[in-house]
Amino acid sequence: MHWTLPFPSRRAPVLGRNIVATSQPLAAQAGAAVFARGGNAIDAALAAAITLTVVEPVMNGIGGDAFALVWDGGQLHGLNSSGRSPAAWHSARFAGMETMPLRGWDSVTVPGQVAAWAALSEKLGRLPFEDLFVDAIRHARDGFPVSPIIARQWQQAAKDLYMHPGFEAFMPHGRAPVAGEMWSFADQARTLEEIALSKGESFYRGRLAQAIADHAAQHGAALTTADLAAHQSEWMQPIATTFRGHQVHEIPPNGVGVAALIALGLLENLPYEDAPMGSAQRMHLEIEAMRLAFADLHTHVGDGAHMRCSACDLLDPSYLRERARSINPQRAGQHVAGTPKSGGTVYLCAADAEGRMVSFIQSNYRGFGSGVVVPGTGIALHNRGSGFVTTPGHVNQVAGAKRPLHSIIPGFLSKDGQPVMAFGVMGGNMQAQGHTQMVLRKVVEQWNPQACSDAPRWRIDDAAQLILEPSVAPEIVAGLQAMGHTPRTMPEDNLDFGSAQLVERLQTADGSAAYVAGSDHRRDGQAVAY
């Protein structure tokens, strides 16, 4: 591992035996406080996640979805707690629409996040469930000062969402809070108390479920108490690909993690390391591999139960070798999907002295999600339904009781059956390409976690345009242009490149568990060791 910090950053790597890294300092400290009370890494991750719904409400909320990868000391577990669409949704409901609604009740699927908290705590946690809510409830009731980055995001979201039912709860003075202003939300504190005491049951089969369904009915929406009661978190075997002797793990579809694995599988068949580190040639290969992966993702991937080919088909080594041949190492191309054999987000990670490691992500999707807030509860509902398509016959076509294609993904890296790193990069479609870039920085370039995060990033945005951070060197920009790319360099304060958190296990002489963590300087985040 290289311990230098070659890129501009305000952060240094954080080392310790117990560690948690999140995108907001108060949440990271809530996780560390759980370690102090005798909790394990799962408890710390959950306390941080629950606190994030309060202190970073633009990026996540109580009404979101969640996924996790957890190393329990001997085995890697995967949890998919994304919700399904209302049973009454059918294609005719959205007939004539070219795309799904981005906001409002017709973008709301069942929120699975609360169920994820309960499932993780019950299976792998140590502390009582209600103990994980202490800091979140305190911040919601007593208040906290809003940070500049979150205030900026809040104000931008408010411009788009102020007309949606219930959103005025996040604008009590007719506006979003400004940087440094104290924010408290008593409704949210009471809701978190109810979730804690009922172990999440109230949200799916009790008073909170009824409040959600009643609000839906008042606005002509399809979501019912039966839809909420039917939700189940699913434990599942992660999918993986081998890259340079390491195994990269992701949650199976409906998540987009398979796209990161496809891109890495393609790079395994390309002359990536023949190009100099930090060169336009390397970045070109990364971008081309990602474009090819996205082509397959958006054609073949959706709810796993509805796919016509499996993730294993898309990751088949012979298929990836054939796909890699369509990439010109010297020239940008136009990539279409192949034909395989049939068959607004917060990310955090934590690890403890007993060897457990957690990669966890939860989200309301696009900045406060749907804009719908259930009155009297502080529950902001996500807009994951907008991840469906209306194209007839598409594997991701909207339908009832179906999971949409999902952008949030936790990542995990192992080698020879042993854990190496829990990592993630939140931020819309940046996530799969962010995972790809983190693995390359770690495995090939051998940077420490903070340097992996600090490295300049590229992104293929939602319009398929290549955008670059301003820290990408001018000679690299020129090199990409010479190969046929049309990159656009974004302003210095642009937030489109996501936010990474990483925790890597150190190789200690006595084999004991110790870690080094990095937290993205692009956000307010913090890594805290205990």
Side-chain angles (χ1 to χ4, degrees):
M1 184 190 303
H2 299 306
W3 287 101
T4 55
L5 294 170
F7 310 108
S9 175
R10 298 187 295 273
R11 309 280 168 82
V14 174
L15 291 85
R17 290 191 176 276
N18 300 281
I19 207 158
V20 58
T22 82
S23 54
Q24 213 280 354
L26 294 175
Q29 290 159 26
V34 160
F35 283 135
R37 296 197 295 271
N40 62 20
I42 293 85
D43 298 318
L46 288 172
I50 295 163
T51 302
L52 280 165
T53 66
V54 176
V55 300
E56 196 174 0
V58 187
M59 293 291 101
N60 73 138
I62 300 171
D65 277 349
F67 296 82
L69 291 167
V70 182
W71 178 263
D72 67 2
Q75 181 182 352
L76 187 65
H77 304 267
L79 180 70
N80 181 335
S81 198
S82 61
R84 291 177 169 81
S85 57
W89 275 16
H90 43 78
S91 57
R93 185 182 182 93
F94 304 94
M97 296 184 184
E98 291 188 6
T99 60
M100 289 291 293
L102 181 61
R103 308 285 192 183
W105 269 110
D106 271 350
S107 69
V108 179
T109 51
V110 173
Q113 180 178 295
V114 170
W117 297 346
L120 285 162
S121 176
E122 180 180 5
K123 185 179 179 74
L124 297 166
R126 177 180 293 159
L127 295 182
F129 189 58
E130 57 267 27
D131 191 51
L132 309 178
F133 290 73
V134 171
D135 287 288
I137 293 169
R138 175 171 58 87
H139 290 309
R141 179 175 292 123
D142 299 344
F144 63 94
V146 177
S147 68
I149 291 177
I150 292 173
R152 174 186 162 194
Q153 294 170 319
W154 202 324
Q155 289 158 19
Q156 184 59 51
K159 295 176 185 177
D160 300 328
L161 300 175
Y162 71 95
M163 294 293 289
H164 288 282
F167 190 75
E168 65 273 7
F170 283 96
M171 300 174 62
H173 305 297
R175 59 169 176 80
V178 298
E181 185 173 356
M182 294 297 293
W183 172 261
S184 61
F185 200 170
D187 288 348
Q188 200 174 45
R190 287 190 291 269
T191 290
L192 290 171
E193 285 178 333
E194 190 165 338
I195 290 170
L197 292 173
S198 70
K199 293 183 170 55
E201 279 296 299
S202 178
F203 193 93
Y204 296 99
R205 298 166 191 87
R207 188 190 72 83
L208 294 174
Q210 191 65 57
I212 295 168
D214 287 348
H215 193 44
Q218 289 168 17
H219 293 276
L223 189 68
T224 66
T225 53
D227 293 319
L228 291 162
H231 176 77
Q232 294 290 329
S233 301
E234 293 186 26
W235 293 98
M236 54 183 52
Q237 183 66 35
I239 56 174
T241 196
T242 298
F243 179 76
R244 305 300 197 265
H246 291 70
Q247 288 71 50
V248 188
H249 307 267
E250 301 279 356
I251 294 289
N254 59 314
V256 301
V258 66
L261 301 184
I262 292 170
L264 290 166
L266 293 168
L267 288 167
E268 188 84 323
N269 291 282
L270 293 168
Y272 182 74
E273 290 169 85
D274 292 349
M277 186 184 301
S279 65
Q281 288 76 20
R282 272 199 182 184
M283 190 175 287
H284 162 74
L285 292 175
E286 295 171 15
I287 294 164
E288 291 296 282
M290 199 73 245
R291 286 197 183 279
L292 215 62
F294 276 160
D296 274 357
L297 175 76
H298 294 300
T299 299
H300 299 300
V301 179
D303 186 330
H306 296 263
M307 288 169 57
R308 291 184 280 272
C309 63
S310 69
C312 290
D313 297 330
L314 292 165
L315 297 173
D316 181 81
S318 60
Y319 174 68
L320 292 174
R321 279 194 299 272
E322 183 62 32
R323 291 287 277 158
R325 292 192 183 101
S326 66
I327 294 176
N328 184 333
Q330 303 299 327
R331 193 74 188 166
Q334 298 293 321
H335 300 298
V336 297
T339 308
K341 177 182 64 177
S342 295
T345 302
V346 291
Y347 172 81
L348 61 96
C349 43
D352 65 34
E354 296 170 88
R356 301 176 192 86
M357 298 179 72
V358 182
S359 182
F360 183 89
I361 195 160
Q362 64 186 27
S363 172
N364 267 22
Y365 199 22
R366 296 178 182 270
F368 282 109
S370 65
V372 177
V373 181
V374 182
T377 68
I379 298 172
L381 294 167
H382 65 178
N383 60 334
R384 282 295 165 184
S386 65
F388 284 118
V389 299
T390 58
T391 308
H394 195 286
V395 295
N396 191 38
Q397 183 184 6
V398 62
K402 182 179 181 181
R403 283 174 164 152
L405 182 65
H406 222 294
S407 65
I408 65 172
I409 49 174
F412 202 88
L413 190 66
S414 68
K415 186 175 184 181
D416 301 326
Q418 296 301 310
V420 173
M421 188 168 74
F423 68 99
V425 183
M426 62 190 191
N429 84 337
M430 182 67 207
Q431 296 186 56
Q433 43 200 324
H435 280 210
T436 301
Q437 291 173 61
M438 292 307 107
V439 171
L440 294 171
R441 305 292 92 82
K442 175 71 256 169
V443 173
V444 179
E445 296 167 10
Q446 299 182 25
W447 297 119
N448 67 75
Q450 188 60 54
C452 290
S453 172
D454 293 340
R457 293 182 194 153
W458 53 266
R459 179 177 185 170
I460 301 163
D461 68 13
D462 290 336
Q465 299 298 306
L466 176 62
I467 59 174
L468 305 175
E469 288 196 294
S471 50
V472 174
E475 59 270 23
I476 295 178
V477 178
L480 291 172
Q481 291 170 332
M483 286 184 279
H485 296 277
T486 55
R488 183 160 55 100
T489 300
M490 304 304 287
E492 189 68 44
D493 61 351
N494 187 272
L495 298 176
D496 286 351
F497 296 90
S499 176
Q501 315 292 329
L502 311 93
V503 171
E504 180 179 359
R505 181 160 177 164
L506 295 170
Q507 299 299 312
T508 57
D510 61 1
S512 62
Y515 308 92
V516 54
S519 182
D520 207 312
H521 70 276
R522 298 165 182 82
R523 297 292 194 275
D524 298 318
Q526 186 177 47
V528 177
Y530 174 79

